[in-house]
Amino acid sequence: TDEIMQQEIRPLVAVDIIEQLHRQFAILSGGRGKDGAPIITFPEFAGFSDIPDEDFLNVVTYLTSIPSLEAASIGFIIIIDRRRDKWSAVKASLTRIAGAFPGNLQLVFVLRPSRFIQRAIADIGIKLYRDDFKMKVPIIMLNSVSDLHGYIDKSQLTRELGGTLEYGHSQWIHHRTAIENFAMTVKTTAQMLQTFGTDLAETELPNDVHCTEDLLSAHTDHHSKLKDELKLAVKQGATLLTCIREPVTRSANSKLSPDELENVATVERLLAQLDETEKAFDQFWSKHHLKLEQCLQLRHFEHDFREVKLTLDNLMETQAGFADIGDSVARVEHLLKEQKQLEEKGQEPLEKAQSLALHGEQLIQNNHYAVDSIRPKCVELRRICDDFTNETKKKYDILGKSLDLHKELDKASQWCEAGIYLLASQAVDKCQSQEGAETALVEIEKFLVTAKEHQLSNPKEFYNQFDMILTPEIKANAQRILQKLEDVQEMFDKRQVSLKKLAAKQTRPVQPVAPHPESSPKRGSPKITRPAGVGCLSNLGSVRLSELFGHIAAASPSQKSISAEIRLCSHPSNSHIINELIETERVYVEELQSIIEGYASQMDNPNLVHLIPSALQNKKEILFGNLPEIYDFHNRQIFLKEIENCIENPELLARCFLKRKEDLQIYEKYCQNKPRSEALWRQCGDSIFFQECQRKLDHKLSLDAYLLKPVQRITKYQLLLKEMLKCSKNSEGTAELEEALATVLDIIKSANDSMHQIAITGYEGDVGELGKLLMQGSFNVWTDHKKGHNKVKDLARFKPMQRHLFLYTKMLLFCKKREENTDGHEKTASYSFKNSLKMSTVGITENVKGDNKKFEIWYNGREEVYIIQASSVELKNTWISEIRKVLTGQLEACR
């Protein structure tokens, strides 16, 4: 039963019977009998018989309710002091106590009247009326307090009874009232927190920014007021505890009575409950406040998304309206200018969209609850940005081709005009002589050579290049210019024929006497070569692929190359993979060498030591980890040499990995150090020292990119081995390849698990003593304890808990995953230890309530039960299998 929320309400509290308590006709002094029985004293009270029955019953009922159940179960000791009274008062007291005492009685001591006559009467009366009192416990008549000391120690009796026990009735009433008030305050505070928690749990999240901000402000104010109430309650309890302990604080010789010690325990228990309530409330508020903040982030994101989306849609609509590709160079240049203006206009909204998408992805990485709403919007923003960028590029390409086309058309048209002008400018009278004809032919041949400067000379090539933008209007214009080119070419052909005839008529006549024609001593007959004019260019063919292959085939390979080609044909994929592995391995070794020589060794260079930041001093091993060890393993003398030997025997590759299985464990050590290395790099990466080293190496990337190479390399191995398995399936050596792949995957898993393991915080023991880390992963976890209390934290919102489990051979750890940003960089995960279970005392149940993703782990005979939900059935089965292996191994070890 929850002692705060469902505490049994006592029928009476001190404030209800304060007047009766002040009369002091019965007191609970705090003394105890030898066996721990509480002592209730009825001191001398003149009007005892006049006390109303209701008042008497209320007081004794209240007094008997104060001691603990353990003490009350022993039975109460009653001391009735009637030394100054008469036998009638003794009789009346015994009769009233016998008839109305609500608790278990152990002994009744009566200090009989001290006057001789009354004592004698009392002796006779007790013998005569003992049976009338109906008490099942002994009634011991005492003559004096010294007789009482024979039964009860003086330290447990007040001064009125000859004892040393300090007792102040007013202070006792004050303490009881204060304790009960504090208990009520604790209960009221817990009820207020529960009411507030229920209200928060039932609150619907608003759909706009303004309402969300108001709700967050209102809830925050209410939370602050409740925290103030909690602080006041804690202060009240602490003050009360100080008051109760005041005698001990004042004097070292003083001791608290058992009742006072119970009061201290009660107040401490109430303070502890208040502390637990506050922690549960803080945990609940933290989650609720986070959700409200995430809701506000979501509403801002949605508002910004709507605005940016509207702007982008308008931008895309405007861009879609740019369909014209121009009909002249000037028009196209104007369109390009307009397109440039639109691109510049879109820069700002595009940057906003990219920034908003990045913000959305950060929200997702921060475990925002509305991932399913945020991710599609981020995708949509990036899609629109990509569409606009691609469409802009497409527009530029089309307009660029259009500009080239119209420039070519203009150039061809200008060429025609220049040709017509050339023909028109050649004087007919000057061409009648041989020299004039030859000069005119040379001018024409030079001009025809310039036809190569435009592409319209080859219509097929022209149409292939500009086919995508050839509108009917542009095609008609191009055909017109082509026709003009053809006409001009025909004019040049005719002019060339005429000029050649004129040049031929001027040659020297043949001498009839000579057996052979005599050549002119000055110059021979002119060699007429047809220029590559328009008509000739239109008939050019393309290079045949068969010729290209013919050139390749003409190169006769060596015998070694031929044998290599034969192997490549028999195992094409494997050879390709082996070659890729070797080439990338060589590059990898060179990169490792450059890092060690260009960075690590330079840290010992006296000429550069002044550039090294102080935070990096004596931390070379942290920054580079065991990189030198990895380089020594991979260099040409070890691993690289071994895999180079596999180029002619690919089937030996798997043995290389199996042989070096233990050596490859060095990657696990490197990965374990990687978080420390990255943290140090973030602190010192922008120093002049690294910039100088990078400059000397002429590296395009900074050192942190190269420090990631070993992590990438071990991953690359498993990809290459997987490819080899695909090509070598059901062939000899497949089993070894599968074993090699399993080896590499196990190294990657161990490295990954170890990087998670080193992030465990709060575990007081040594995780190295828990055995091998077998599995780790995140789950939803419900708990059920036979012992414990239902707190505010047991509200539905607190279940299930998100826990990251680490399974060792000896222990199962439950941790809470925490992620923290480090200086604006990527989140770093840590695992806060929450609980652990010894594997030697756990049991497992596979299916829970029909959910095939859940399994149950119980501890200490089901005293604690943990229901665990995996993200998939496969993951659940994997964990169950691994746990059963551990349990089976333990059972066999016991046998």
Side-chain angles (χ1 to χ4, degrees):
T1 304
D2 192 315
E3 294 182 358
I4 300 176
M5 304 306 300
Q6 301 178 15
Q7 185 175 3
E8 180 183 353
I9 305 301
R10 292 192 180 97
L12 289 172
V13 291
V15 71
D16 296 333
I17 56 171
I18 194 71
E19 292 182 5
Q20 292 89 325
L21 289 174
H22 274 297
R23 296 178 69 181
Q24 203 173 340
F25 59 84
I27 62 173
L28 184 70
S29 62
R32 298 292 173 94
K34 294 180 180 179
D35 56 355
I39 298 173
I40 295 179
T41 303
F42 290 85
E44 293 180 353
F45 190 83
F48 186 83
S49 59
D50 299 328
I51 298 171
D53 290 340
E54 182 181 358
D55 292 351
F56 176 82
L57 182 60
N58 285 342
V59 170
V60 293
T61 300
Y62 177 74
L63 294 180
T64 54
S65 69
I66 293 173
S68 65
L69 293 176
E70 181 181 358
S73 64
I74 300 173
F76 288 85
I77 296 175
I78 302 296
I79 299 176
I80 303 173
D81 186 1
R82 293 293 180 263
R83 287 175 290 176
R84 299 180 184 178
D85 220 325
K86 301 178 181 178
W87 157 247
S88 59
V90 175
K91 180 181 178 184
S93 299
L94 289 172
T95 303
R96 173 166 276 182
I97 292 169
F101 193 82
N104 295 328
L105 285 173
Q106 186 186 93
L107 286 173
V108 177
F109 295 99
V110 179
L111 285 170
R112 69 180 77 190
S114 58
R115 285 177 291 178
F116 179 79
I117 296 175
Q118 292 301 323
R119 180 179 296 181
I121 295 172
D123 290 341
I124 297 170
I126 194 66
K127 294 178 181 178
L128 295 175
Y129 295 98
R130 183 182 295 273
D131 293 335
D132 293 344
F133 297 137
K134 299 178 181 178
M135 290 188 181
K136 298 180 180 179
V137 296
I139 301 174
I140 302 174
M141 302 295 290
L142 303 173
N143 293 326
S144 64
V145 292
S146 58
D147 293 340
L148 180 61
H149 297 163
Y151 295 92
I152 300 173
D153 191 87
K154 287 184 179 183
S155 63
Q156 302 300 315
L157 297 173
T158 61
R159 295 185 182 278
E160 289 77 10
L161 297 176
T164 60
L165 181 65
E166 295 291 337
Y167 174 78
H169 191 63
S170 296
Q171 186 184 49
W172 181 89
I173 294 174
H174 174 71
H175 284 176
R176 290 306 310 167
T177 305
I179 291 170
E180 289 163 0
N181 285 340
F182 179 58
M184 184 56 65
T185 299
V186 172
K187 180 180 178 181
T188 304
T189 303
Q191 289 173 340
M192 285 193 301
L193 295 182
Q194 185 185 36
T195 302
F196 181 55
T198 303
D199 292 341
L200 296 186
E202 295 173 355
T203 299
E204 292 185 3
L205 298 177
N207 293 321
D208 62 87
V209 173
H210 180 68
C211 293
T212 306
E213 287 176 342
D214 290 345
L215 183 65
L216 179 59
S217 177
H219 283 187
T220 303
D221 290 343
H222 197 169
H223 167 260
S224 298
K225 292 177 181 178
L226 288 176
K227 286 290 288 186
D228 290 340
E229 293 287 338
L230 275 168
K231 289 179 181 177
L232 287 174
V234 171
K235 185 176 180 181
Q236 177 185 348
T239 303
L240 176 57
L241 201 60
T242 302
C243 291
I244 297 174
R245 289 172 170 168
E246 193 270 339
V248 178
T249 306
R250 187 176 64 249
S251 174
N253 296 327
S254 297
K255 291 185 179 179
L256 297 178
S257 68
D259 283 358
E260 289 173 326
L261 291 173
E262 286 187 0
N263 288 343
V264 169
T266 299
V267 175
E268 288 177 340
R269 175 174 53 82
L270 290 170
L271 283 171
Q273 291 172 355
L274 199 59
D275 182 63
E276 289 181 15
T277 303
E278 184 176 10
K279 288 179 181 177
F281 174 69
D282 287 344
Q283 186 181 7
F284 169 78
W285 169 252
S286 176
K287 291 185 177 181
H288 178 76
H289 187 256
L290 175 62
K291 187 155 191 178
L292 281 181
E293 287 185 330
Q294 289 185 340
C295 178
L296 184 58
Q297 292 171 348
L298 177 64
R299 300 307 173 226
H300 278 298
F301 177 82
E302 290 173 341
H303 177 267
D304 294 342
F305 172 81
R306 286 190 292 268
E307 289 186 347
V308 172
K309 178 75 162 51
L310 180 62
T311 305
L312 291 177
D313 288 343
N314 292 335
L315 200 64
M316 291 294 292
E317 186 176 351
T318 304
Q319 188 183 58
F322 280 80
D324 190 7
I325 63 172
D327 54 1
S328 67
V329 172
R331 177 61 180 164
V332 175
E333 287 176 344
H334 178 72
L335 291 173
L336 280 168
K337 186 177 179 181
E338 289 185 342
Q339 183 64 41
K340 183 66 175 178
Q341 291 173 348
L342 179 64
E343 183 184 23
E344 290 173 353
K345 180 183 177 182
Q347 247 353 85
E348 183 177 352
L350 285 175
E351 289 175 358
K352 285 184 178 179
Q354 293 287 2
S355 177
L356 187 59
L358 182 61
H359 176 59
E361 289 173 354
Q362 288 174 345
L363 293 179
I364 293 172
Q365 291 176 0
N366 292 339
N367 296 324
H368 197 286
Y369 70 88
V371 172
D372 293 338
S373 174
I374 296 172
R375 182 173 283 117
K377 292 180 174 62
C378 294
V379 172
E380 177 70 0
L381 288 172
R382 294 196 184 281
R383 182 192 64 77
I384 296 176
C385 291
D386 291 342
D387 288 351
F388 181 83
T389 303
N390 294 334
E391 193 64 24
T392 300
K393 184 177 182 301
K394 186 177 178 182
K395 292 286 185 185
Y396 275 126
D397 290 342
I398 292 174
L399 289 174
K401 283 188 176 295
S402 179
L403 184 62
D404 293 340
L405 167 65
H406 289 295
K407 284 182 177 180
E408 289 294 330
L409 291 175
D410 287 354
K411 191 186 296 183
S413 182
Q414 292 168 5
W415 185 86
C416 291
E417 296 297 330
I420 294 171
Y421 178 80
L422 174 63
L423 293 175
S425 65
Q426 289 181 338
V428 177
D429 55 340
K430 292 183 179 181
C431 296
Q432 297 304 313
S433 65
Q434 179 183 0
E435 185 176 352
E438 289 177 352
T439 302
L441 279 170
V442 171
E443 288 178 349
I444 290 174
E445 287 172 0
K446 286 183 178 179
F447 183 78
L448 288 177
V449 171
T450 62
K452 295 179 180 180
E453 296 176 7
H454 58 78
Q455 298 179 13
L456 294 185
S457 55
N458 189 339
K460 186 176 181 181
E461 182 180 343
F462 171 81
Y463 284 116
N464 287 339
Q465 182 176 357
F466 298 108
D467 180 63
M468 61 181 293
I469 61 169
L470 284 177
T471 63
E473 294 78 13
I474 295 177
K475 187 177 289 187
N477 187 31
Q479 288 174 347
R480 179 180 60 79
I481 295 176
L482 282 171
Q483 184 61 47
K484 189 175 181 179
L485 280 170
E486 188 176 342
D487 294 342
V488 173
Q489 180 66 49
E490 186 178 353
M491 292 168 63
F492 274 113
D493 289 344
K494 290 179 179 179
R495 177 64 63 88
Q496 282 178 314
V497 170
S498 299
L499 290 173
K500 288 176 183 178
K501 287 180 180 180
L502 290 171
K505 287 179 181 179
Q506 306 300 325
T507 58
R508 180 176 295 179
V510 177
Q511 301 294 329
V513 217
H516 296 288
E518 185 178 337
S519 298
S520 170
K522 295 183 180 179
R523 63 174 181 269
S525 300
K527 185 179 180 182
I528 308 299
T529 57
R530 182 173 181 85
V534 178
C536 299
L537 291 175
S538 63
N539 295 322
L540 288 177
S542 59
V543 179
R544 295 182 180 178
L545 293 176
S546 59
E547 294 176 357
L548 182 61
F549 286 119
H551 290 304
I552 297 173
S556 178
S558 64
Q559 188 64 33
K560 184 175 181 180
S561 300
I562 292 172
S563 62
E565 288 180 9
I566 293 172
R567 287 195 304 274
L568 186 60
C569 293
S570 61
H571 300 287
S573 297
N574 277 357
S575 296
H576 172 72
I577 296 166
I578 289 289
N579 289 333
E580 180 183 355
L581 174 60
I582 293 172
E583 289 304 317
T584 55
E585 185 74 14
R586 288 168 180 163
V587 173
Y588 177 53
V589 170
E590 291 174 359
E591 288 174 336
L592 294 180
Q593 183 179 4
S594 69
I595 297 171
I596 293 170
E597 294 178 355
Y599 285 100
S601 298
Q602 294 302 315
M603 292 182 70
D604 301 324
N605 186 343
N607 296 326
L608 297 178
V609 70
H610 65 284
L611 300 178
I612 300 176
S614 58
L616 192 61
Q617 297 288 345
N618 302 320
K619 292 183 180 178
K620 182 165 68 173
E621 290 75 13
I622 295 177
L623 182 62
F624 295 97
N626 62 330
L627 197 68
E629 183 182 7
I630 294 175
Y631 171 69
D632 290 340
F633 169 68
H634 281 275
N635 67 19
R636 295 182 182 276
Q637 303 303 319
I638 306 179
F639 197 59
L640 177 57
K641 191 69 176 178
E642 290 179 356
I643 62 175
E644 283 178 336
N645 293 334
C646 298
I647 190 167
E648 296 186 9
N649 298 290
E651 65 277 2
L652 298 178
L653 180 65
R655 298 179 188 175
C656 291
F657 284 93
L658 294 175
K659 176 183 176 182
R660 297 296 178 181
K661 179 177 180 180
E662 298 299 326
D663 295 324
L664 287 169
Q665 298 295 331
I666 56 178
Y667 279 93
E668 181 175 345
K669 181 180 178 182
Y670 185 83
C671 292
Q672 283 180 345
N673 180 67
K674 198 71 178 69
R676 299 173 64 203
S677 173
E678 289 176 349
L680 185 58
W681 172 259
R682 286 194 295 270
Q683 187 179 359
C684 310
D686 57 352
S687 70
I688 300 175
F689 170 75
F690 291 118
Q691 295 174 11
E692 180 65 18
C693 292
Q694 184 178 349
R695 185 189 64 78
K696 288 183 177 179
L697 290 169
D698 195 24
H699 281 180
K700 294 182 180 179
L701 300 177
S702 56
L703 174 61
D704 59 325
Y706 287 91
L707 290 177
L708 196 60
K709 295 289 183 181
V711 181
Q712 296 169 334
R713 190 61 186 166
I714 194 67
T715 308
K716 179 73 173 178
Y717 289 144
Q718 58 108 358
L719 295 176
L720 292 170
L721 288 172
K722 283 181 180 177
E723 288 300 317
M724 288 197 69
L725 264 175
K726 289 180 182 178
C727 301
S728 306
K729 198 168 185 181
N730 300 324
S731 63
E732 186 178 354
T734 301
E736 284 188 334
L737 274 173
E738 290 176 345
E739 189 177 352
L741 176 60
T743 297
V744 175
L745 289 174
D746 186 57
I747 292 170
I748 294 173
K749 177 182 178 300
S750 297
N752 182 55
D753 289 347
S754 65
M755 290 180 72
H756 286 275
Q757 175 181 271
I758 62 174
I760 296 175
T761 61
Y763 182 69
E764 295 182 355
D766 181 4
V767 293
E769 297 178 356
L770 303 182
K772 182 181 179 182
L773 177 58
L774 304 174
M775 302 280 284
Q776 57 84 23
S778 295
F779 298 88
N780 290 334
V781 179
W782 289 260
T783 60
D784 184 17
H785 301 270
K786 286 186 177 181
K787 296 182 180 180
H789 306 294
N790 296 321
K791 305 295 180 186
V792 176
K793 63 185 177 183
D794 289 332
L795 291 170
R797 291 177 65 105
F798 290 102
K799 294 186 176 181
M801 297 179 291
Q802 298 294 324
R803 290 291 182 263
H804 201 90
L805 273 59
F806 292 85
L807 175 63
Y808 296 87
T809 53
K810 297 181 182 179
M811 193 82 75
L812 178 63
L813 301 187
F814 290 78
C815 299
K816 183 174 182 180
K817 186 176 181 180
R818 303 183 186 279
E819 293 182 339
E820 298 178 354
N821 285 330
T822 54
D823 301 330
H825 289 271
E826 188 176 319
K827 284 188 170 184
T828 302
S830 64
Y831 303 97
S832 177
F833 172 74
K834 293 296 181 183
N835 194 14
S836 62
L837 304 178
K838 290 183 179 179
M839 294 303 294
S840 58
T841 58
V842 304
I844 186 170
T845 305
E846 290 196 19
N847 291 312
V848 180
K849 299 180 180 178
D851 190 335
N852 58 2
K853 293 182 182 179
K854 291 182 180 178
F855 61 99
E856 184 180 85
I857 293 179
W858 40 271
Y859 187 60
N860 280 347
R862 292 192 173 273
E863 182 177 301
E864 299 178 25
V865 177
Y866 297 82
I867 299 173
I868 301 171
Q869 183 183 49
S871 58
S872 66
V873 178
E874 293 77 11
L875 180 61
K876 167 202 160 185
N877 292 337
T878 303
W879 273 74
I880 287 177
S881 175
E882 202 65 38
I883 292 173
R884 289 204 180 281
K885 286 180 184 178
V886 175
L887 299 181
T888 303
Q890 291 176 348
L891 182 61
E892 291 176 354
C894 291
R895 288 173 177 170

